[in-house]
Amino acid sequence: MTLEREFQYSDKNFQFLKKKVKQFAGINLSDTKNELVYSRVSRLLRQYHLKTFDEYCDKLKQDDEQMIKEFVNAITTNYTTFMREPYHFDYLSHTILPHIKLNAKAKKLRIWSAGCSTGEEPYSISFIVNAIFGNDTDWDIKILATDVDSDALHKAKEAIYSQDIIKEVTNHYKLFLERYFDEATFDRRLFVVKEEYRKNIYFKLFNLMSKEWPMHGPFDIIFCRNVMIYFDRPTQEILIPKFVNLLSQKGYLILGPSEAFLQSQLPLKCVEGSIFRKES
């Protein structure tokens, strides 16, 4: 059965776009994502009043910066929730941060949320950090949050979420809501992260595939969760050592549960699930 499509779309188009998203964002799409690419890129054809994917591909070949940004934004997946993978935040709260607070020579904490999407991860980190360090004004605390998707990053900076999104966190969402959010003055159905949890977060547009990384570290903790699954093994083997090099001694790299790599080749020790500590 042949699918009736709004736009002419061939396997050649898909293979070209698949190659381009790998080039621009490092994302390794499988052939099963054919329909996903059609669905997400179709809105860009409408935006540019194009009739076929051939026309869109020809435009993309021109390497226009705005078109590339819109293309990457369309393809990237931004599913995330507050406190996603609760054991990561339990370990952060009960083990990592108390140890840093007790043993740090300088009262400085640096955390990077790489692939922060719409902001739920860095804000969740901030909630935990504030619980541990909130009353200690001597500490210099900064949380860097980066993503390749400019639209998602804009939403993260706004820090505005619906009650439905917040409900996904916990059965005690009302307590969670009261503790961390203010009601939006312009819409009672929306909630804004309280300023005390926003002030130490710095959002930046950043592509992990960039040859030069502007951050120099060292970071005490790097979160890069559910990002590596979109990269092929050679790309993972390039990126993971870069993260390790930016970690402080005994710093932590926190990956998604399904993200495996050749641990034996790196100075990392698995301490809990997909939480790794730099050992040398």
Side-chain angles (χ1 to χ4, degrees):
M1 179 178 176
T2 304
L3 290 173
E4 290 190 11
R5 301 187 189 275
E6 179 182 357
F7 303 103
Q8 183 181 339
Y9 176 63
S10 66
D11 183 64
K12 181 180 178 182
N13 298 146
F14 170 67
Q15 295 301 328
F16 173 81
L17 295 173
K18 178 180 174 181
K19 181 179 178 181
K20 282 298 181 182
V21 79
K22 174 73 182 299
Q23 175 188 337
F24 296 144
I27 297 172
N28 192 47
L29 292 176
S30 69
D31 288 340
T32 62
K33 301 299 184 182
N34 189 303
E35 290 304 312
L36 178 144
V37 169
Y38 175 83
S39 174
R40 295 190 178 183
V41 177
S42 288
R43 66 177 178 82
L44 296 177
L45 271 72
R46 297 185 197 102
Q47 176 181 317
Y48 286 102
H49 305 290
L50 303 176
K51 294 182 179 180
T52 70
F53 270 75
D54 282 342
E55 290 180 277
Y56 179 76
C57 291
D58 286 340
K59 278 188 167 292
L60 204 58
K61 289 175 185 176
Q62 298 171 15
D63 289 335
D64 178 80
E65 188 175 327
Q66 181 64 25
M67 285 199 73
I68 291 172
K69 183 177 77 170
E70 291 169 346
F71 172 60
V72 170
N73 289 356
I75 296 295
T76 49
T77 300
N78 293 308
Y79 173 76
T80 185
T81 60
F82 287 101
M83 301 297 183
R84 188 179 183 185
E85 311 301 344
Y87 80 92
H88 286 163
F89 292 98
D90 288 341
Y91 197 84
L92 179 68
S93 176
H94 300 303
T95 303
I96 299 177
L97 292 180
H99 178 80
I100 290 174
K101 187 175 183 180
L102 185 64
N103 295 286
K105 294 179 181 179
K107 290 189 174 184
K108 185 168 73 172
L109 178 66
R110 295 291 183 268
I111 301 174
W112 179 15
S113 169
C116 69
S117 186
T118 47
E120 287 89 335
E121 179 177 273
Y123 290 124
S124 296
I125 294 168
S126 182
F127 298 158
I128 301 298
V129 168
N130 192 273
I132 303 297
F133 295 92
N135 296 324
D136 195 334
T137 57
D138 292 338
W139 276 79
D140 174 15
I141 298 172
K142 288 184 174 61
I143 300 169
L144 173 65
T146 66
D147 202 273
V148 69
D149 186 333
S150 59
D151 291 339
L153 205 64
H154 177 71
K155 292 177 183 177
K157 289 177 182 178
E158 287 186 324
I160 300 171
Y161 301 93
S162 70
Q163 184 169 306
D164 288 341
I165 290 174
I166 299 166
K167 272 185 178 180
E168 295 182 28
V169 182
T170 170
N171 292 330
H172 307 292
Y173 82 94
K174 287 185 178 178
L175 179 61
F176 188 86
L177 195 64
E178 292 171 1
R179 180 175 297 169
Y180 301 121
F181 296 85
D182 292 321
E183 191 175 277
T185 55
F186 52 88
D187 189 334
R188 296 186 64 182
R189 296 168 298 178
L190 299 176
F191 299 86
V192 184
V193 177
K194 291 182 178 181
E195 176 60 25
E196 63 195 276
Y197 304 111
R198 300 172 61 182
K199 63 183 181 181
N200 293 326
I201 302 178
Y202 301 84
F203 291 99
K204 298 290 182 184
L205 185 67
F206 178 65
N207 189 340
L208 290 171
M209 300 308 296
S210 300
K211 291 183 179 179
E212 299 295 329
W213 286 17
M215 61 286 294
H216 301 291
F219 291 96
D220 301 289
I221 309 161
I222 296 176
F223 283 75
C224 187
R225 306 184 306 161
N226 307 303
V227 174
M228 293 293 165
I229 54 174
Y230 298 106
F231 300 148
D232 57 21
R233 178 51 66 89
T235 304
Q236 292 177 12
E237 291 178 348
I238 291 171
L239 294 179
I240 291 289
K242 285 189 172 185
F243 285 125
V244 173
N245 288 339
L246 287 174
L247 284 174
S248 60
Q249 183 64 27
K250 300 296 183 182
Y252 292 85
L253 176 63
I254 303 179
L255 302 175
S258 62
E259 295 169 321
F261 58 93
L262 300 177
Q263 178 191 341
S264 60
Q265 297 181 5
L266 297 165
L268 293 171
K269 177 182 178 181
C270 181
V271 293
E272 178 82 16
S274 53
I275 302 173
F276 300 86
R277 186 177 64 215
K278 185 176 180 179
E279 291 297 291
S280 62

mmCIF file of all heavy atoms in Angstrom, residues 73-105:
data_model
loop_
_atom_site.group_PDB
_atom_site.id
_atom_site.type_symbol
_atom_site.label_atom_id
_atom_site.label_comp_id
_atom_site.label_asym_id
_atom_site.label_seq_id
_atom_site.Cartn_x
_atom_site.Cartn_y
_atom_site.Cartn_z
ATOM 1 N N ASN A 73 16.591 21.634 14.911
ATOM 2 C CA ASN A 73 15.509 21.773 15.889
ATOM 3 C C ASN A 73 14.352 20.825 15.580
ATOM 4 O O ASN A 73 13.732 20.259 16.486
ATOM 5 C CB ASN A 73 14.982 23.206 15.917
ATOM 6 C CG ASN A 73 15.962 24.181 16.541
ATOM 7 O OD1 ASN A 73 17.009 23.796 17.033
ATOM 8 N ND2 ASN A 73 15.617 25.458 16.516
ATOM 9 N N ALA A 74 14.053 20.668 14.292
ATOM 10 C CA ALA A 74 12.934 19.812 13.891
ATOM 11 C C ALA A 74 13.218 18.341 14.167
ATOM 12 O O ALA A 74 12.320 17.585 14.572
ATOM 13 C CB ALA A 74 12.638 20.019 12.401
ATOM 14 N N ILE A 75 14.451 17.926 13.972
ATOM 15 C CA ILE A 75 14.791 16.504 14.096
ATOM 16 C C ILE A 75 15.021 16.072 15.539
ATOM 17 O O ILE A 75 14.685 14.951 15.929
ATOM 18 C CB ILE A 75 16.046 16.168 13.258
ATOM 19 C CG1 ILE A 75 15.755 16.376 11.763
ATOM 20 C CG2 ILE A 75 16.513 14.743 13.513
ATOM 21 C CD1 ILE A 75 14.716 15.445 11.186
ATOM 22 N N THR A 76 15.596 16.936 16.356
ATOM 23 C CA THR A 76 15.971 16.535 17.707
ATOM 24 C C THR A 76 14.752 16.191 18.548
ATOM 25 O O THR A 76 13.695 16.798 18.423
ATOM 26 C CB THR A 76 16.789 17.631 18.420
ATOM 27 O OG1 THR A 76 16.112 18.885 18.282
ATOM 28 C CG2 THR A 76 18.176 17.736 17.830
ATOM 29 N N THR A 77 14.928 15.212 19.416
ATOM 30 C CA THR A 77 13.870 14.759 20.322
ATOM 31 C C THR A 77 14.083 15.381 21.687
ATOM 32 O O THR A 77 15.174 15.307 22.244
ATOM 33 C CB THR A 77 13.893 13.219 20.441
ATOM 34 O OG1 THR A 77 13.679 12.668 19.146
ATOM 35 C CG2 THR A 77 12.812 12.729 21.382
ATOM 36 N N ASN A 78 13.033 15.969 22.256
ATOM 37 C CA ASN A 78 13.185 16.715 23.508
ATOM 38 C C ASN A 78 12.347 16.156 24.654
ATOM 39 O O ASN A 78 11.954 16.890 25.549
ATOM 40 C CB ASN A 78 12.820 18.193 23.276
ATOM 41 C CG ASN A 78 13.815 18.872 22.363
ATOM 42 O OD1 ASN A 78 15.011 18.812 22.598
ATOM 43 N ND2 ASN A 78 13.330 19.482 21.303
ATOM 44 N N TYR A 79 12.098 14.848 24.628
ATOM 45 C CA TYR A 79 11.330 14.286 25.740
ATOM 46 C C TYR A 79 12.186 14.278 27.002
ATOM 47 O O TYR A 79 13.315 13.799 27.012
ATOM 48 C CB TYR A 79 10.874 12.848 25.456
ATOM 49 C CG TYR A 79 10.224 12.233 26.674
ATOM 50 C CD1 TYR A 79 8.931 12.599 27.037
ATOM 51 C CD2 TYR A 79 10.929 11.350 27.492
ATOM 52 C CE1 TYR A 79 8.344 12.074 28.180
ATOM 53 C CE2 TYR A 79 10.347 10.827 28.629
ATOM 54 C CZ TYR A 79 9.058 11.194 28.961
ATOM 55 O OH TYR A 79 8.478 10.690 30.101
ATOM 56 N N THR A 80 11.653 14.832 28.056
ATOM 57 C CA THR A 80 12.334 14.828 29.348
ATOM 58 C C THR A 80 11.317 15.121 30.431
ATOM 59 O O THR A 80 10.196 15.546 30.136
ATOM 60 C CB THR A 80 13.479 15.863 29.381
ATOM 61 O OG1 THR A 80 14.199 15.758 30.613
ATOM 62 C CG2 THR A 80 12.937 17.284 29.231
ATOM 63 N N THR A 81 11.671 14.862 31.670
ATOM 64 C CA THR A 81 10.785 15.169 32.797
ATOM 65 C C THR A 81 11.628 15.645 33.973
ATOM 66 O O THR A 81 12.843 15.425 34.011
ATOM 67 C CB THR A 81 9.987 13.928 33.255
ATOM 68 O OG1 THR A 81 10.907 12.894 33.656
ATOM 69 C CG2 THR A 81 9.082 13.405 32.156
ATOM 70 N N PHE A 82 10.983 16.279 34.923
ATOM 71 C CA PHE A 82 11.665 16.614 36.168
ATOM 72 C C PHE A 82 12.001 15.321 36.905
ATOM 73 O O PHE A 82 11.222 14.373 36.929
ATOM 74 C CB PHE A 82 10.776 17.493 37.051
ATOM 75 C CG PHE A 82 10.627 18.895 36.555
ATOM 76 C CD1 PHE A 82 9.486 19.293 35.873
ATOM 77 C CD2 PHE A 82 11.633 19.830 36.753
ATOM 78 C CE1 PHE A 82 9.344 20.592 35.409
ATOM 79 C CE2 PHE A 82 11.513 21.128 36.289
ATOM 80 C CZ PHE A 82 10.361 21.512 35.612
ATOM 81 N N MET A 83 13.195 15.291 37.500
ATOM 82 C CA MET A 83 13.661 14.153 38.294
ATOM 83 C C MET A 83 13.637 12.833 37.507
ATOM 84 O O MET A 83 13.399 11.776 38.070
ATOM 85 C CB MET A 83 12.842 14.013 39.573
ATOM 86 C CG MET A 83 12.881 15.220 40.468
ATOM 87 S SD MET A 83 14.560 15.582 41.084
ATOM 88 C CE MET A 83 14.244 16.981 42.169
ATOM 89 N N ARG A 84 13.895 12.916 36.212
ATOM 90 C CA ARG A 84 13.933 11.698 35.398
ATOM 91 C C ARG A 84 15.069 10.801 35.874
ATOM 92 O O ARG A 84 16.159 11.278 36.148
ATOM 93 C CB ARG A 84 14.138 12.068 33.924
ATOM 94 C CG ARG A 84 13.991 10.898 32.973
ATOM 95 C CD ARG A 84 14.180 11.342 31.546
ATOM 96 N NE ARG A 84 13.964 10.253 30.615
ATOM 97 C CZ ARG A 84 14.158 10.337 29.300
ATOM 98 N NH1 ARG A 84 14.574 11.482 28.777
ATOM 99 N NH2 ARG A 84 13.938 9.309 28.513
ATOM 100 N N GLU A 85 14.826 9.507 35.945
ATOM 101 C CA GLU A 85 15.747 8.542 36.558
ATOM 102 C C GLU A 85 15.993 8.948 38.015
ATOM 103 O O GLU A 85 17.070 9.445 38.373
ATOM 104 C CB GLU A 85 17.078 8.449 35.800
ATOM 105 C CG GLU A 85 16.959 8.273 34.309
ATOM 106 C CD GLU A 85 16.201 7.030 33.898
ATOM 107 O OE1 GLU A 85 16.011 6.128 34.754
ATOM 108 O OE2 GLU A 85 15.766 6.960 32.739
ATOM 109 N N PRO A 86 15.027 8.735 38.883
ATOM 110 C CA PRO A 86 15.120 9.206 40.281
ATOM 111 C C PRO A 86 16.367 8.747 41.025
ATOM 112 O O PRO A 86 16.877 9.473 41.879
ATOM 113 C CB PRO A 86 13.851 8.625 40.923
ATOM 114 C CG PRO A 86 12.886 8.493 39.797
ATOM 115 C CD PRO A 86 13.713 8.103 38.611
ATOM 116 N N TYR A 87 16.902 7.567 40.677
ATOM 117 C CA TYR A 87 18.077 7.086 41.412
ATOM 118 C C TYR A 87 19.292 7.980 41.167
ATOM 119 O O TYR A 87 20.179 8.088 42.034
ATOM 120 C CB TYR A 87 18.373 5.612 41.096
ATOM 121 C CG TYR A 87 19.097 5.349 39.802
ATOM 122 C CD1 TYR A 87 20.494 5.269 39.773
ATOM 123 C CD2 TYR A 87 18.406 5.131 38.619
ATOM 124 C CE1 TYR A 87 21.173 5.004 38.602
ATOM 125 C CE2 TYR A 87 19.077 4.865 37.438
ATOM 126 C CZ TYR A 87 20.456 4.792 37.438
ATOM 127 O OH TYR A 87 21.126 4.531 36.265
ATOM 128 N N HIS A 88 19.349 8.620 40.014
ATOM 129 C CA HIS A 88 20.438 9.569 39.768
ATOM 130 C C HIS A 88 20.381 10.720 40.770
ATOM 131 O O HIS A 88 21.406 11.138 41.326
ATOM 132 C CB HIS A 88 20.339 10.146 38.351
ATOM 133 C CG HIS A 88 20.750 9.192 37.277
ATOM 134 N ND1 HIS A 88 20.421 9.368 35.953
ATOM 135 C CD2 HIS A 88 21.488 8.045 37.325
ATOM 136 C CE1 HIS A 88 20.935 8.388 35.232
ATOM 137 N NE2 HIS A 88 21.572 7.568 36.047
ATOM 138 N N PHE A 89 19.185 11.222 41.007
ATOM 139 C CA PHE A 89 19.037 12.361 41.908
ATOM 140 C C PHE A 89 19.143 11.938 43.376
ATOM 141 O O PHE A 89 19.600 12.723 44.209
ATOM 142 C CB PHE A 89 17.723 13.089 41.615
ATOM 143 C CG PHE A 89 17.739 13.764 40.275
ATOM 144 C CD1 PHE A 89 17.163 13.156 39.168
ATOM 145 C CD2 PHE A 89 18.393 14.977 40.105
ATOM 146 C CE1 PHE A 89 17.221 13.764 37.921
ATOM 147 C CE2 PHE A 89 18.455 15.589 38.864
ATOM 148 C CZ PHE A 89 17.861 14.975 37.767
ATOM 149 N N ASP A 90 18.768 10.708 43.671
ATOM 150 C CA ASP A 90 18.985 10.183 45.022
ATOM 151 C C ASP A 90 20.482 10.089 45.313
ATOM 152 O O ASP A 90 20.945 10.479 46.396
ATOM 153 C CB ASP A 90 18.341 8.794 45.175
ATOM 154 C CG ASP A 90 16.829 8.844 45.237
ATOM 155 O OD1 ASP A 90 16.279 9.936 45.518
ATOM 156 O OD2 ASP A 90 16.185 7.813 44.991
ATOM 157 N N TYR A 91 21.239 9.579 44.338
ATOM 158 C CA TYR A 91 22.688 9.441 44.531
ATOM 159 C C TYR A 91 23.346 10.815 44.600
ATOM 160 O O TYR A 91 24.276 11.033 45.389
ATOM 161 C CB TYR A 91 23.288 8.618 43.388
ATOM 162 C CG TYR A 91 24.666 8.069 43.699
ATOM 163 C CD1 TYR A 91 24.810 6.874 44.414
ATOM 164 C CD2 TYR A 91 25.823 8.729 43.299
ATOM 165 C CE1 TYR A 91 26.070 6.366 44.707
ATOM 166 C CE2 TYR A 91 27.078 8.227 43.581
ATOM 167 C CZ TYR A 91 27.190 7.049 44.294
ATOM 168 O OH TYR A 91 28.441 6.560 44.593
ATOM 169 N N LEU A 92 22.864 11.744 43.786
ATOM 170 C CA LEU A 92 23.367 13.119 43.827
ATOM 171 C C LEU A 92 23.128 13.733 45.204
ATOM 172 O O LEU A 92 24.024 14.369 45.784
ATOM 173 C CB LEU A 92 22.671 13.956 42.760
ATOM 174 C CG LEU A 92 23.051 15.436 42.654
ATOM 175 C CD1 LEU A 92 24.482 15.588 42.148
ATOM 176 C CD2 LEU A 92 22.081 16.179 41.729
ATOM 177 N N SER A 93 21.941 13.520 45.730
ATOM 178 C CA SER A 93 21.544 14.125 47.002
ATOM 179 C C SER A 93 22.209 13.485 48.213
ATOM 180 O O SER A 93 22.659 14.182 49.130
ATOM 181 C CB SER A 93 20.019 14.026 47.139
ATOM 182 O OG SER A 93 19.586 14.513 48.376
ATOM 183 N N HIS A 94 22.294 12.160 48.203
ATOM 184 C CA HIS A 94 22.744 11.445 49.405
ATOM 185 C C HIS A 94 24.235 11.106 49.410
ATOM 186 O O HIS A 94 24.798 10.848 50.480
ATOM 187 C CB HIS A 94 21.929 10.160 49.583
ATOM 188 C CG HIS A 94 20.465 10.394 49.734
ATOM 189 N ND1 HIS A 94 19.943 11.201 50.722
ATOM 190 C CD2 HIS A 94 19.410 9.945 49.022
ATOM 191 C CE1 HIS A 94 18.624 11.225 50.617
ATOM 192 N NE2 HIS A 94 18.270 10.483 49.594
ATOM 193 N N THR A 95 24.860 11.106 48.231
ATOM 194 C CA THR A 95 26.266 10.677 48.172
ATOM 195 C C THR A 95 27.185 11.746 47.568
ATOM 196 O O THR A 95 28.126 12.204 48.228
ATOM 197 C CB THR A 95 26.393 9.367 47.361
ATOM 198 O OG1 THR A 95 25.557 8.363 47.957
ATOM 199 C CG2 THR A 95 27.845 8.891 47.347
ATOM 200 N N ILE A 96 26.927 12.141 46.322
ATOM 201 C CA ILE A 96 27.878 13.009 45.617
ATOM 202 C C ILE A 96 28.006 14.371 46.274
ATOM 203 O O ILE A 96 29.115 14.802 46.647
ATOM 204 C CB ILE A 96 27.478 13.173 44.139
ATOM 205 C CG1 ILE A 96 27.483 11.825 43.431
ATOM 206 C CG2 ILE A 96 28.439 14.143 43.449
ATOM 207 C CD1 ILE A 96 27.017 11.893 41.977
ATOM 208 N N LEU A 97 26.897 15.082 46.427
ATOM 209 C CA LEU A 97 26.980 16.462 46.941
ATOM 210 C C LEU A 97 27.430 16.532 48.403
ATOM 211 O O LEU A 97 28.255 17.384 48.747
ATOM 212 C CB LEU A 97 25.646 17.173 46.747
ATOM 213 C CG LEU A 97 25.273 17.450 45.278
ATOM 214 C CD1 LEU A 97 23.923 18.152 45.189
ATOM 215 C CD2 LEU A 97 26.346 18.288 44.576
ATOM 216 N N PRO A 98 26.938 15.659 49.295
ATOM 217 C CA PRO A 98 27.460 15.700 50.672
ATOM 218 C C PRO A 98 28.961 15.449 50.735
ATOM 219 O O PRO A 98 29.670 16.081 51.537
ATOM 220 C CB PRO A 98 26.680 14.579 51.374
ATOM 221 C CG PRO A 98 25.399 14.496 50.618
ATOM 222 C CD PRO A 98 25.783 14.746 49.183
ATOM 223 N N HIS A 99 29.455 14.538 49.863
ATOM 224 C CA HIS A 99 30.896 14.257 49.850
ATOM 225 C C HIS A 99 31.672 15.487 49.373
ATOM 226 O O HIS A 99 32.699 15.849 49.964
ATOM 227 C CB HIS A 99 31.181 13.070 48.933
ATOM 228 C CG HIS A 99 32.640 12.746 48.816
ATOM 229 N ND1 HIS A 99 33.321 12.033 49.773
ATOM 230 C CD2 HIS A 99 33.566 13.071 47.862
ATOM 231 C CE1 HIS A 99 34.596 11.912 49.414
ATOM 232 N NE2 HIS A 99 34.765 12.541 48.262
ATOM 233 N N ILE A 100 31.173 16.140 48.316
ATOM 234 C CA ILE A 100 31.842 17.347 47.817
ATOM 235 C C ILE A 100 31.829 18.443 48.875
ATOM 236 O O ILE A 100 32.843 19.108 49.117
ATOM 237 C CB ILE A 100 31.157 17.834 46.518
ATOM 238 C CG1 ILE A 100 31.445 16.860 45.374
ATOM 239 C CG2 ILE A 100 31.640 19.247 46.148
ATOM 240 C CD1 ILE A 100 30.689 17.175 44.090
ATOM 241 N N LYS A 101 30.703 18.626 49.509
ATOM 242 C CA LYS A 101 30.580 19.685 50.518
ATOM 243 C C LYS A 101 31.534 19.457 51.683
ATOM 244 O O LYS A 101 32.123 20.396 52.225
ATOM 245 C CB LYS A 101 29.139 19.752 51.039
ATOM 246 C CG LYS A 101 28.896 20.936 51.968
ATOM 247 C CD LYS A 101 27.431 21.039 52.354
ATOM 248 C CE LYS A 101 27.196 22.278 53.231
ATOM 249 N NZ LYS A 101 25.771 22.398 53.633
ATOM 250 N N LEU A 102 31.736 18.208 52.044
ATOM 251 C CA LEU A 102 32.590 17.886 53.185
ATOM 252 C C LEU A 102 34.074 17.930 52.837
ATOM 253 O O LEU A 102 34.904 18.315 53.663
ATOM 254 C CB LEU A 102 32.226 16.484 53.703
ATOM 255 C CG LEU A 102 32.934 16.003 54.969
ATOM 256 C CD1 LEU A 102 32.560 16.886 56.165
ATOM 257 C CD2 LEU A 102 32.582 14.549 55.263
ATOM 258 N N ASN A 103 34.423 17.585 51.583
ATOM 259 C CA ASN A 103 35.833 17.378 51.246
ATOM 260 C C ASN A 103 36.448 18.398 50.289
ATOM 261 O O ASN A 103 37.667 18.378 50.085
ATOM 262 C CB ASN A 103 36.000 15.974 50.642
ATOM 263 C CG ASN A 103 35.690 14.874 51.642
ATOM 264 O OD1 ASN A 103 36.467 14.596 52.548
ATOM 265 N ND2 ASN A 103 34.538 14.246 51.483
ATOM 266 N N ALA A 104 35.651 19.262 49.709
ATOM 267 C CA ALA A 104 36.196 20.213 48.725
ATOM 268 C C ALA A 104 37.190 21.176 49.368
ATOM 269 O O ALA A 104 36.931 21.728 50.439
ATOM 270 C CB ALA A 104 35.052 20.985 48.071
ATOM 271 N N LYS A 105 38.335 21.382 48.708
ATOM 272 C CA LYS A 105 39.341 22.307 49.220
ATOM 273 C C LYS A 105 38.901 23.754 49.004
ATOM 274 O O LYS A 105 39.115 24.613 49.855
ATOM 275 C CB LYS A 105 40.682 22.049 48.532
ATOM 276 C CG LYS A 105 41.280 20.681 48.870
ATOM 277 C CD LYS A 105 42.591 20.461 48.136
ATOM 278 C CE LYS A 105 43.164 19.089 48.465
ATOM 279 N NZ LYS A 105 44.443 18.834 47.723
#
